[in-house]
Amino acid sequence: MLQTAPRRKKSTASKAAPHERFLEAFRWMLLARTLEEKLVSLYRGGLITGGVYVGRGQEAVSVACGLFLQKGDIFAPLIRDQAGRSAFGEPLVDVTRTYLGSRQGPMRGRDGNIHRGRPRDNQLAMISHLGAMVSVTVGALLAKRFHGEKNFVGLSCIGEGGMQTGSFHEGMNLAAVEQVPLVVVATNNHYAYSTPNDREFACHDLVDRAIGYGFEGYTVDGTDLTNCLEVIGSAVKRARAGRPPQLVVASTLRLSGHGEHDDASYVTDEMKRQPFARDCLKAAEQTIVDLNLVDAETLRDWREEAAAQVDQAISTAQKEAAPEADEEDWCAISTRALGDKIE
Amino acid sequence: MSITYLEAIREAQAKLLRDDERVFIYGEDVGGTFGGAFKATKGLAKEFPGRVLNTPISEDAMVGAAIGAAIQGMRPIVEMQFADFSSTALNQILNNAGTHYWRTNVPVPITVRLPCGGTKGSGPFHSQSMESIYAHYPGLIVMTPATVEDAYTMLIEAVTIDDPVVYCEHKYLYYHLKADKLPTEEGLPTGQARILREGRDLTIVAYSAMVHEALAVADELIGEGFEIEVVDLRAVKPLDTETVLASVARTGRLLCVGESFPWGGATAEVISRVTSEGFHFLDAAPQRINAKDTPIPYHPNLWAAHRPNAKMIAEKTRELLRE
Ligand SMILES: Cc1ncc(C[n+]2csc(CCOP(=O)(O)OP(=O)(O)O)c2C)c(N)n1
Ligand SMILES: [Mg+2]
């Protein structure tokens, strides 16, 4: 069985000493970056069909989303959440199997790239349609309330682009009406595909919407891991303690194309000079060096370990057979007797 | 004592809530003392506290939440106030519920109740029949009960099925259709059509309210010396092609009647299957009758002409019998 990641201490993240938690988060970020860089090179080499969508520049926000969730919590990651998915417990091989089209893994060639999940393990499998997963997260939390469970939260991720859908709005409002323990983390990476903020919304600050929904709202510097851990960790804690639903709006720049097919030539130089354009992974590493949290050798080991894990997950998936059309079970419902018999 | 189609729907939900703690009802105005725009949940909120819940006017989120709850082990029933408004939940129903099992191997046992079909004076946005849209997409079961007994047993079955079910209940039948009592036994399973009237001259395939128009025509044509066979599909997906083909094999003539718009849809699907699989049974080109290809009109004079009725069906039947 493949060890997904370094010494997992998810359930203690909220109690760990700040620098230990910081280092753990950093390692998930490093793993995500390493994995995604590898996926990009496989894509460029023609070994991945479809698209590759990475979370470069958003790992700090994302890891904080996954890190504070515990067993029984619900996580609804989106496009740029590799770091959070791994921190939540998604096996690396789920990623490589899905991208590389193995017949194994959770999606079995039926869906690809970031459209994956393990709903039975509380990792919801996003559909493409942005905004749709917020209400699904609300419903999962409602079920937990019906079951009489206690002390659970759900966390649903969204981009500033997805925040402009009707579906998102409905989901937020419903969360507040139902008073479910939900945290919504919205990352404003200043673009929705090629569209900049000024054609996306006209409000002063997206976090101001929190009050309109009946959420508590917070902002966070998405380039600063310490800040992300603090703000998102506190939001999770508040939701768990029974406070109203929480909205956290993070500011970053997408340090990649929308997908790897996109050269992002529309991102202006001025944008790239903004403070939110800082690379969160480099900044976190700088903090480690500045505070001398670990030595250079340890950092190098971690990097190698991440690379080895990624290589193993890739080679596992590459060795596996692809799905075959004539062996596929072409029935879209589980109640086989009710499948429509159409030629 | 007699029970209406609407009461059967209410009673089925009461039984489901009573027998299965995973069941809850989610929809606009379903809760409180109100019990829904059509009273299909009347009294249930009081009888089952906390399990019959009013929602904001958010069809997308209602279904999204039902999906999330179903994944976590619940059996939600979502009531759309009118079928027409389920258009704003299409994304969740088609793209989320309909794809989920195929993509993740985890089924989504939700039931979405759609008050369908025309009643006069309801106009373009409170009269639609949407079964064909839902049947077109993979991953959904689409029920179209035409009798009080089916309304009851099929709704219970819908909630029991592990997959998403779109349950199309007809608003005209709500009050017009009565039975002596609720069935005490399980009904015919979904996926099996029912031959409601046997005949040797022509087959009318119908579902939902159109079944009753077809039966009226069958009655009328007895006087003219014809025996019309009436097949009630009960569900448009899965479609019981076998029963239809067997009927056409006996009669040689097929007329298919549906209340939704004419382009494509359930009636076209039936005819397509019969022509490809049972061409040799046919003594005449199969025909169909649907609503007109315009929005559904408000005024009763226009409405009555827009929607198939016994008179139109009888005319078409006579034409087809002459062929
Ligand atoms: C409802 C919907 N419309 C369009 C798309 C196509 N699309 C996919 S991602 C994307 C941009 C999303 O922007 P944002 O939400 O800001 O997330 P980011 O990509 O910046 O992380 C678009 C338009 C979609 N997935 N869903
Ligand atoms: Mg964006």
Side-chain angles (χ1 to χ4, degrees):
Chain A
M1 194 51 208
L2 191 69
Q3 186 68 30
T4 298
R7 284 161 259 124
R8 178 143 175 68
K9 286 183 294 191
K10 173 173 69 175
S11 57
T12 56
S14 54
K15 294 185 202 106
H19 77 268
E20 271 177 44
R21 202 180 57 189
F22 185 96
L23 291 175
E24 186 191 355
F26 171 77
R27 294 189 68 185
W28 291 117
M29 292 166 67
L30 183 64
L31 183 69
R33 181 73 64 94
T34 309
L35 169 66
E36 290 188 334
E37 282 176 352
K38 194 74 191 196
L39 292 172
V40 167
S41 76
L42 291 170
Y43 174 79
R44 300 240 161 96
L47 293 170
I48 289 176
T49 310
V52 171
Y53 301 87
V54 302
R56 192 180 181 88
Q58 298 182 201
E59 292 94 339
V61 179
S62 182
V63 73
C65 291
L67 204 59
F68 296 96
L69 300 180
Q70 305 173 352
K71 195 167 161 32
D73 291 342
I74 307 283
F75 186 35
L78 277 190
I79 334 178
R80 315 218 180 267
D81 283 310
Q82 187 52 54
R85 288 175 192 251
S86 290
F88 186 70
E90 179 190 57
L92 269 194
V93 70
D94 279 11
V95 190
T96 56
R97 281 172 165 159
T98 308
Y99 267 110
L100 289 160
S102 165
R103 72 194 310 165
Q104 297 187 51
M107 311 316 283
R108 301 153 294 147
R110 292 178 174 189
D111 207 342
N113 50 64
I114 69 267
H115 303 93
R116 57 173 202 272
R118 289 182 177 269
R120 290 251 188 266
D121 298 336
N122 297 345
Q123 305 168 34
L124 301 182
M126 62 174 279
I127 62 167
S128 287
H129 299 65
L130 295 166
M133 298 310 290
V134 177
S135 61
V136 178
T137 316
V138 172
L141 297 173
L142 280 179
K144 287 180 165 285
R145 182 187 289 165
F146 274 120
H147 298 325
E149 290 176 40
K150 295 259 176 327
N151 205 32
F152 57 86
V153 298
L155 191 148
S156 211
C157 297
I158 193 84
E160 90 293 343
M163 276 184 94
Q164 316 313 326
T165 61
S167 190
F168 177 79
H169 171 73
E170 288 192 11
M172 294 294 278
N173 183 58
L174 189 66
V177 167
E178 296 290 7
Q179 282 296 300
V180 284
L182 176 70
V183 180
V184 172
V185 176
T187 303
N188 181 4
N189 60 10
H190 293 83
Y191 288 90
Y193 208 152
S194 76
T195 303
N197 277 182
D198 66 342
R199 296 299 299 172
E200 295 193 83
F201 53 86
C203 57
H204 170 66
D205 192 327
L206 289 170
V207 78
D208 294 340
R209 291 188 184 172
I211 194 167
Y213 286 129
F215 274 52
E216 294 179 348
Y218 298 85
T219 53
V220 62
D221 175 357
T223 73
D224 179 353
L225 178 58
T226 305
N227 195 216
C228 287
L229 294 171
E230 177 55 38
V231 173
I232 295 172
S234 304
V236 169
K237 205 181 278 176
R238 276 190 299 271
R240 210 185 289 287
R243 298 288 309 159
Q246 306 281 312
L247 173 67
V248 177
V249 179
S251 184
T252 60
L253 186 67
R254 197 188 66 210
L255 300 181
S256 64
H258 170 61
E260 286 313 303
H261 56 277
D262 171 27
D263 68 5
S265 52
Y266 46 80
V267 176
T268 60
D269 287 341
E270 196 204 334
M271 270 296 188
K272 292 177 190 161
R273 284 193 298 269
Q274 296 297 318
F276 54 72
R278 186 167 76 136
D279 180 343
C280 61
L281 184 66
K282 278 196 194 139
E285 185 167 343
Q286 194 58 52
T287 304
I288 293 172
V289 172
D290 291 348
L291 300 180
N292 200 18
L293 297 178
V294 295
D295 58 19
E297 199 182 325
T298 307
L299 274 174
R300 196 176 55 238
D301 287 350
W302 286 356
R303 204 164 259 119
E304 280 168 11
E305 209 177 299
Q309 286 185 5
V310 167
D311 286 346
Q312 197 188 329
I314 287 170
S315 78
T316 300
Q318 278 178 330
K319 281 193 222 98
E320 292 167 357
E324 295 293 343
D326 58 0
E327 290 167 24
E328 181 56 275
D329 179 12
W330 296 102
C331 180
I333 56 174
S334 70
T335 316
R336 307 197 52 79
L338 294 181
D340 191 45
K341 286 160 206 74
I342 184 166
E343 294 311 309
Chain B
M1 204 199 94
S2 77
I3 182 153
T4 63
Y5 182 95
L6 178 64
E7 285 161 350
I9 289 167
R10 185 201 168 279
E11 290 307 316
Q13 293 178 105
K15 180 175 165 52
L16 285 158
L17 285 162
R18 205 156 37 236
D19 295 351
D20 188 343
E21 61 180 18
R22 302 170 303 172
V23 174
F24 70 100
I25 300 179
Y26 214 47
E28 292 152 21
D29 306 300
V30 297
T33 53
F34 190 65
F38 296 100
K39 304 289 172 237
T41 56
K42 193 171 161 56
L44 297 182
K46 187 160 177 233
E47 196 177 341
F48 303 98
R51 295 172 66 197
V52 183
L53 299 170
N54 281 344
T55 63
I57 306 170
S58 300
E59 283 77 9
D60 180 289
M62 277 150 56
V63 177
I67 293 168
I71 293 169
Q72 287 290 323
M74 299 298 286
R75 296 269 159 167
I77 300 172
V78 176
E79 176 180 303
M80 291 290 160
Q81 197 151 71
F82 286 79
D84 315 49
F85 301 120
S86 74
S87 59
T88 67
L90 280 178
N91 185 45
Q92 294 287 6
I93 300 172
L94 306 178
N95 288 315
N96 218 345
T99 65
H100 200 268
Y101 170 71
W102 169 259
R103 296 169 62 237
T104 66
N105 228 17
V106 176
V108 179
I110 65 170
T111 300
V112 184
R113 287 181 35 232
L114 304 188
C116 291
T119 46
K120 58 176 169 257
S122 298
F125 310 116
H126 293 75
S127 307
Q128 294 171 26
S129 296
M130 296 181 65
E131 65 282 349
S132 295
I133 287 179
Y134 292 108
H136 181 68
Y137 268 73
L140 307 169
I141 289 160
V142 186
M143 298 182 175
T144 48
T147 66
V148 175
E149 293 81 0
D150 275 355
Y152 183 76
T153 60
M154 290 179 83
L155 184 50
I156 292 170
E157 191 188 0
V159 175
T160 315
I161 290 171
D162 285 340
D163 295 289
V165 177
V166 176
Y167 176 93
C168 304
E169 51 195 58
H170 201 287
K171 301 196 292 288
Y172 183 80
L173 302 183
Y174 273 169
Y175 318 101
H176 287 84
L177 212 57
K178 292 192 177 80
D180 293 337
K181 56 176 176 36
L182 287 175
T184 47
E185 282 163 31
E186 273 179 38
L188 210 54
T190 292
Q192 275 184 37
R194 180 186 282 120
I195 296 176
L196 274 180
R197 176 74 57 88
E198 288 184 15
R200 47 157 209 243
D201 296 318
L202 180 146
T203 301
I204 301 181
V205 170
Y207 57 92
S208 190
M210 286 301 134
V211 166
H212 303 282
E213 306 292 324
L215 287 171
V217 170
D219 284 342
E220 189 182 332
L221 267 69
I222 290 173
E224 297 169 31
F226 294 110
E227 288 180 21
I228 306 299
E229 181 144 306
V230 177
V231 178
D232 172 7
L233 286 177
R234 301 177 66 247
V236 298
K237 194 173 192 181
L239 190 59
D240 182 359
T241 317
E242 250 173 61
T243 299
V244 174
L245 275 173
S247 174
V248 175
R250 290 188 291 274
T251 63
R253 286 180 161 77
L254 172 65
L255 175 63
C256 206
V257 190
E259 193 177 332
S260 56
F261 300 123
W263 201 99
T267 56
E269 185 64 30
V270 170
I271 290 187
S272 157
R273 292 186 191 196
V274 169
T275 32
S276 354
E277 294 173 45
F279 192 69
H280 52 291
F281 298 143
L282 289 163
D283 298 327
Q287 299 295 328
R288 65 194 185 111
I289 307 182
N290 295 285
K292 291 190 194 304
D293 190 24
T294 68
I296 301 160
Y298 155 74
H299 195 280
N301 292 350
L302 303 180
W303 174 76
H306 184 273
R307 171 181 188 262
N309 58 34
K311 188 161 167 276
M312 292 177 209
I313 300 168
E315 274 166 26
K316 196 79 164 179
T317 305
R318 288 189 192 99
E319 255 172 54
L320 190 49
L321 285 164
R322 280 196 292 272
E323 296 234 347

